[in-house]
Amino acid sequence: MQVYDSNDYQIQIKEDGTPVTRADLIAHDYITKALKHEFGYPVISEEAPVPPYEERQTWSQFFLVDPVDGTRDFIAKNDEFTVNIALVSGGEPVLGVVLVPAKGELFFARKGKGAWMRTNNSEDLPLPLEKQEGWVLARSWHHDNSMIEAFAKNNNISQSIKMSSAIRLARLSQGKVNLCVVSNKSKEWDIAAGQVILKETGGSIVEMESGKEPAYNKPDMQNAFSLATASGVSLSQLKL
Protein backbone atom coordinates (compact mmCIF):
# COMPACT_ATOMS: atom_id res chain seq x y z
CA MET A 1 0.00 0.00 0.00
CA GLN A 2 2.99 2.29 0.44
CA VAL A 3 3.57 2.30 -3.33
CA TYR A 4 -0.17 2.68 -4.02
CA ASP A 5 -0.38 5.77 -1.84
CA SER A 6 2.86 7.27 -3.17
CA ASN A 7 1.89 7.41 -6.88
CA ASP A 8 5.50 6.43 -7.66
CA TYR A 9 4.47 3.42 -9.75
CA GLN A 10 7.36 3.25 -12.25
CA ILE A 11 5.05 1.72 -14.87
CA GLN A 12 6.55 -0.53 -17.54
CA ILE A 13 4.86 -2.40 -20.40
CA LYS A 14 5.57 -6.13 -20.64
CA GLU A 15 5.98 -8.10 -23.87
CA ASP A 16 2.31 -9.12 -23.79
CA GLY A 17 1.26 -5.47 -23.72
CA THR A 18 0.11 -5.43 -20.09
CA PRO A 19 1.44 -2.96 -17.51
CA VAL A 20 3.60 -3.80 -14.51
CA THR A 21 4.46 -1.46 -11.65
CA ARG A 22 7.01 -1.27 -8.89
CA ALA A 23 4.35 -2.70 -6.55
CA ASP A 24 3.98 -5.87 -8.69
CA LEU A 25 7.71 -6.54 -8.48
CA ILE A 26 8.06 -5.78 -4.77
CA ALA A 27 5.07 -8.01 -3.94
CA HIS A 28 6.38 -10.78 -6.21
CA ASP A 29 9.77 -10.77 -4.51
CA TYR A 30 8.34 -10.78 -0.98
CA ILE A 31 5.63 -13.42 -1.55
CA THR A 32 7.71 -15.89 -3.54
CA LYS A 33 10.60 -15.77 -1.07
CA ALA A 34 8.24 -16.20 1.90
CA LEU A 35 6.41 -19.17 0.35
CA LYS A 36 9.61 -20.96 -0.65
CA HIS A 37 11.12 -20.41 2.79
CA GLU A 38 8.01 -21.48 4.70
CA PHE A 39 6.84 -24.44 2.59
CA GLY A 40 9.61 -25.38 0.17
CA TYR A 41 7.24 -25.90 -2.78
CA PRO A 42 7.95 -24.44 -6.22
CA VAL A 43 6.26 -21.11 -6.97
CA ILE A 44 4.91 -19.88 -10.31
CA SER A 45 4.32 -16.13 -10.32
CA GLU A 46 2.96 -13.88 -13.04
CA GLU A 47 6.00 -11.64 -12.62
CA ALA A 48 8.65 -14.28 -13.32
CA PRO A 49 9.40 -16.56 -16.28
CA VAL A 50 7.30 -19.73 -16.12
CA PRO A 51 9.53 -22.81 -15.78
CA PRO A 52 9.54 -25.12 -18.82
CA TYR A 53 6.68 -27.61 -18.91
CA GLU A 54 9.19 -30.48 -19.02
CA GLU A 55 10.38 -29.40 -15.59
CA ARG A 56 7.09 -28.58 -13.88
CA GLN A 57 4.99 -31.46 -15.24
CA THR A 58 6.55 -33.61 -12.52
CA TRP A 59 5.51 -31.25 -9.72
CA SER A 60 2.90 -32.73 -7.39
CA GLN A 61 2.42 -29.47 -5.47
CA PHE A 62 3.22 -25.85 -6.24
CA PHE A 63 2.00 -22.33 -5.55
CA LEU A 64 0.39 -20.06 -8.14
CA VAL A 65 0.81 -16.36 -7.36
CA ASP A 66 -0.45 -13.16 -8.91
CA PRO A 67 1.29 -10.51 -6.79
CA VAL A 68 -0.98 -7.71 -8.04
CA ASP A 69 -3.96 -8.90 -10.05
CA GLY A 70 -5.64 -5.95 -11.71
CA THR A 71 -2.59 -3.77 -12.31
CA ARG A 72 -4.69 -1.46 -14.51
CA ASP A 73 -7.04 -1.00 -11.54
CA PHE A 74 -4.06 -0.35 -9.27
CA ILE A 75 -2.89 2.39 -11.66
CA ALA A 76 -6.44 3.78 -11.93
CA LYS A 77 -6.64 3.85 -8.10
CA ASN A 78 -10.11 2.27 -8.02
CA ASP A 79 -9.17 0.05 -5.02
CA GLU A 80 -10.17 -3.20 -6.81
CA PHE A 81 -6.78 -4.86 -7.32
CA THR A 82 -6.04 -8.09 -5.45
CA VAL A 83 -3.23 -10.37 -4.31
CA ASN A 84 -3.91 -13.99 -5.30
CA ILE A 85 -2.17 -17.03 -3.83
CA ALA A 86 -3.21 -20.64 -4.48
CA LEU A 87 -1.73 -24.02 -3.63
CA VAL A 88 -2.17 -26.54 -6.45
CA SER A 89 -1.99 -30.22 -5.51
CA GLY A 90 -2.59 -33.14 -7.83
CA GLY A 91 -3.60 -30.82 -10.65
CA GLU A 92 -6.24 -28.81 -8.79
CA PRO A 93 -6.17 -25.78 -6.49
CA VAL A 94 -6.80 -26.86 -2.90
CA LEU A 95 -6.07 -23.68 -0.95
CA GLY A 96 -6.78 -20.12 -1.98
CA VAL A 97 -6.25 -16.63 -0.60
CA VAL A 98 -7.49 -13.43 -2.25
CA LEU A 99 -6.53 -10.20 -0.52
CA VAL A 100 -8.12 -6.85 -1.47
CA PRO A 101 -5.62 -4.55 0.27
CA ALA A 102 -7.25 -1.18 -0.44
CA LYS A 103 -10.59 -2.37 0.96
CA GLY A 104 -9.21 -4.32 3.91
CA GLU A 105 -10.87 -7.56 2.74
CA LEU A 106 -9.46 -11.07 2.87
CA PHE A 107 -11.12 -14.09 1.24
CA PHE A 108 -9.73 -17.55 1.95
CA ALA A 109 -10.64 -21.22 1.63
CA ARG A 110 -9.25 -24.71 1.89
CA LYS A 111 -10.70 -27.66 0.01
CA GLY A 112 -13.28 -29.41 2.17
CA LYS A 113 -13.01 -26.83 4.97
CA GLY A 114 -15.26 -23.99 3.78
CA ALA A 115 -14.70 -20.42 2.60
CA TRP A 116 -14.49 -17.27 4.67
CA MET A 117 -14.22 -13.51 4.46
CA ARG A 118 -12.45 -11.27 6.95
CA THR A 119 -12.52 -7.48 7.03
CA ASN A 120 -10.70 -4.96 9.18
CA ASN A 121 -13.67 -4.81 11.54
CA SER A 122 -15.05 -8.34 11.48
CA GLU A 123 -14.52 -11.86 12.64
CA ASP A 124 -14.24 -14.55 9.97
CA LEU A 125 -17.57 -14.66 8.15
CA PRO A 126 -18.64 -17.85 6.32
CA LEU A 127 -19.37 -17.35 2.62
CA PRO A 128 -21.61 -16.63 0.84
CA LEU A 129 -23.02 -13.61 2.67
CA GLU A 130 -25.75 -12.74 0.15
CA LYS A 131 -27.95 -14.32 -2.51
CA GLN A 132 -29.21 -12.54 -5.61
CA GLU A 133 -32.71 -12.84 -7.06
CA GLY A 134 -32.44 -13.24 -10.82
CA TRP A 135 -29.25 -13.14 -12.87
CA VAL A 136 -26.61 -10.58 -11.92
CA LEU A 137 -23.53 -10.71 -14.16
CA ALA A 138 -20.10 -9.44 -13.10
CA ARG A 139 -18.62 -7.45 -15.97
CA SER A 140 -15.12 -6.08 -16.31
CA TRP A 141 -13.99 -2.47 -16.58
CA HIS A 142 -11.27 -3.47 -19.05
CA HIS A 143 -11.92 -6.94 -20.52
CA ASP A 144 -15.52 -7.18 -21.75
CA ASN A 145 -15.79 -8.72 -25.22
CA SER A 146 -18.21 -10.18 -27.77
CA MET A 147 -18.30 -13.56 -25.99
CA ILE A 148 -19.61 -11.93 -22.82
CA GLU A 149 -22.08 -9.82 -24.81
CA ALA A 150 -23.41 -12.95 -26.55
CA PHE A 151 -23.74 -14.84 -23.25
CA ALA A 152 -25.70 -11.98 -21.67
CA LYS A 153 -27.98 -11.68 -24.71
CA ASN A 154 -28.62 -15.43 -25.04
CA ASN A 155 -29.64 -15.63 -21.38
CA ASN A 156 -31.65 -12.39 -21.24
CA ILE A 157 -29.40 -10.97 -18.53
CA SER A 158 -30.30 -7.36 -17.86
CA GLN A 159 -28.58 -6.83 -14.50
CA SER A 160 -24.82 -6.45 -14.32
CA ILE A 161 -22.21 -4.82 -12.11
CA LYS A 162 -18.93 -3.52 -13.50
CA MET A 163 -15.85 -4.32 -11.47
CA SER A 164 -12.22 -5.31 -11.81
CA SER A 165 -11.61 -8.73 -13.35
CA ALA A 166 -9.32 -9.35 -10.38
CA ILE A 167 -12.11 -9.09 -7.82
CA ARG A 168 -14.97 -10.82 -9.66
CA LEU A 169 -14.56 -14.36 -8.25
CA ALA A 170 -14.35 -12.97 -4.72
CA ARG A 171 -17.56 -10.97 -5.25
CA LEU A 172 -19.18 -14.08 -6.74
CA SER A 173 -18.23 -16.08 -3.64
CA GLN A 174 -19.55 -13.28 -1.46
CA GLY A 175 -22.90 -13.31 -3.29
CA LYS A 176 -22.75 -9.77 -4.72
CA VAL A 177 -23.24 -11.29 -8.20
CA ASN A 178 -24.05 -14.81 -9.35
CA LEU A 179 -22.52 -15.09 -12.84
CA CYS A 180 -19.11 -14.32 -14.30
CA VAL A 181 -17.48 -15.17 -17.64
CA VAL A 182 -13.74 -15.86 -17.41
CA SER A 183 -11.77 -14.64 -20.42
CA ASN A 184 -9.56 -16.88 -22.55
CA LYS A 185 -6.89 -14.19 -22.22
CA SER A 186 -6.50 -14.92 -18.52
CA LYS A 187 -3.94 -17.26 -16.97
CA GLU A 188 -4.11 -19.94 -14.30
CA TRP A 189 -2.80 -17.59 -11.59
CA ASP A 190 -5.75 -15.26 -12.26
CA ILE A 191 -8.40 -17.79 -11.19
CA ALA A 192 -6.83 -20.57 -9.07
CA ALA A 193 -7.29 -18.92 -5.65
CA GLY A 194 -10.75 -17.64 -6.52
CA GLN A 195 -11.81 -21.07 -7.77
CA VAL A 196 -11.06 -22.74 -4.42
CA ILE A 197 -13.01 -20.07 -2.57
CA LEU A 198 -15.94 -20.22 -4.98
CA LYS A 199 -16.19 -24.02 -4.93
CA GLU A 200 -16.18 -24.06 -1.13
CA THR A 201 -19.26 -21.81 -1.19
CA GLY A 202 -21.06 -24.27 -3.48
CA GLY A 203 -20.30 -22.38 -6.69
CA SER A 204 -18.43 -23.66 -9.73
CA ILE A 205 -16.27 -22.82 -12.74
CA VAL A 206 -16.57 -24.80 -15.97
CA GLU A 207 -15.10 -24.29 -19.41
CA MET A 208 -17.85 -23.19 -21.76
CA GLU A 209 -16.77 -25.49 -24.60
CA SER A 210 -15.83 -28.67 -22.74
CA GLY A 211 -18.12 -28.34 -19.71
CA LYS A 212 -15.20 -29.42 -17.51
CA GLU A 213 -13.45 -27.63 -14.67
CA PRO A 214 -10.27 -25.76 -15.64
CA ALA A 215 -7.11 -27.87 -15.67
CA TYR A 216 -3.92 -26.64 -14.01
CA ASN A 217 -0.24 -26.77 -14.87
CA LYS A 218 -1.02 -26.81 -18.58
CA PRO A 219 1.84 -26.26 -21.05
CA ASP A 220 0.69 -22.70 -21.87
CA MET A 221 -1.12 -22.01 -18.55
CA GLN A 222 -3.88 -20.28 -20.56
CA ASN A 223 -7.50 -20.43 -19.44
CA ALA A 224 -10.34 -21.26 -21.82
CA PHE A 225 -13.52 -19.19 -21.87
CA SER A 226 -15.23 -20.37 -18.69
CA LEU A 227 -18.40 -19.68 -16.75
CA ALA A 228 -18.25 -19.11 -13.01
CA THR A 229 -21.51 -19.43 -11.08
CA ALA A 230 -22.49 -18.72 -7.50
CA SER A 231 -23.99 -21.16 -5.04
CA GLY A 232 -27.50 -22.23 -6.02
CA VAL A 233 -27.09 -21.58 -9.76
CA SER A 234 -27.64 -24.62 -11.98
CA LEU A 235 -25.85 -24.76 -15.31
CA SER A 236 -28.96 -26.36 -16.79
CA GLN A 237 -30.67 -22.98 -16.39
CA LEU A 238 -28.20 -21.30 -18.73
CA LYS A 239 -27.28 -21.33 -22.40
CA LEU A 240 -23.50 -21.65 -22.69
Side-chain angles (χ1 to χ4, degrees), residues 118-147:
R118 181 185 302 167
T119 69
N120 288 335
N121 301 311
S122 77
E123 299 178 353
D124 295 347
L125 304 172
L127 296 172
L129 302 179
E130 305 175 34
K131 185 175 182 179
Q132 300 299 322
E133 297 297 330
W135 303 132
V136 183
L137 177 65
R139 304 194 67 156
S140 171
W141 294 116
H142 309 291
H143 301 293
D144 262 9
N145 54 45
S146 58
M147 185 81 168

Side-chain angles (χ1 to χ4, degrees), residues 99-106 118-121:
L99 174 66
V100 192
K103 294 182 178 291
E105 297 173 340
L106 177 68
R118 181 185 302 167
T119 69
N120 288 335
N121 301 311

Side-chain angles (χ1 to χ4, degrees), residues 184-224:
N184 65 347
K185 294 183 179 180
S186 64
K187 296 283 191 175
E188 292 179 19
W189 47 72
D190 293 310
I191 68 168
Q195 180 176 340
V196 184
I197 298 166
L198 181 60
K199 286 185 67 177
E200 285 300 305
T201 69
S204 68
I205 302 181
V206 297
E207 295 178 351
M208 296 179 79
E209 186 172 328
S210 71
K212 298 178 180 179
E213 289 190 358
Y216 285 85
N217 204 15
K218 300 183 293 294
D220 61 1
M221 307 207 77
Q222 196 83 25
N223 295 319

